[in-house]
Amino acid sequence: MTDDPPRDPRDPQPPPFQVPPTLTVAFHPPQYAQILPTTALARLDARLAHLHARTPDDALHATLRDAARLLGAHLTFRAAGRSAHAHPWQADAAL
């Protein structure tokens, strides 16, 4: 196995590796869950493609709750340091 060539200390540092946001979807009944990138779930609900790590909490929860109701699925959004859950029977007071 070969090693990377030595770096010149004057070169700019590469950007830190960032994990893209993912959505876990479990259609009802939830015997099977799959982690998908947001672009894959956008085929079912286009609003899900616009979610990102800096989406405001109220918009994130409202979008997930509505998408969970329309899809009849349990949704979990995960991004760097964030996690949000929604299910089809979630009450509006849970926001």
Side-chain angles (χ1 to χ4, degrees), residues 5-53:
R7 285 185 62 83
D8 184 354
R10 295 172 292 182
D11 287 343
Q13 293 296 320
F17 179 73
Q18 297 197 3
V19 178
T22 59
L23 277 168
T24 303
V25 61
F27 290 102
H28 188 73
Q31 287 112 355
Y32 175 76
Q34 185 169 3
I35 297 174
L36 297 171
T38 54
T39 53
L41 276 176
R43 294 179 184 150
L44 300 173
D45 190 339
R47 297 172 297 169
L48 298 174
H50 300 287
L51 298 178
H52 52 80

Side-chain angles (χ1 to χ4, degrees), residues 28-86:
H28 188 73
Q31 287 112 355
Y32 175 76
Q34 185 169 3
I35 297 174
L36 297 171
T38 54
T39 53
L41 276 176
R43 294 179 184 150
L44 300 173
D45 190 339
R47 297 172 297 169
L48 298 174
H50 300 287
L51 298 178
H52 52 80
R54 292 178 290 161
T55 301
D57 283 339
D58 56 346
L60 176 65
H61 291 290
T63 302
L64 284 179
R65 186 193 69 226
D66 191 48
R69 286 180 180 171
L70 290 173
L71 298 173
H74 297 261
L75 299 176
T76 303
F77 175 84
R78 288 187 181 90
R82 289 184 77 180
S83 180
H85 310 279

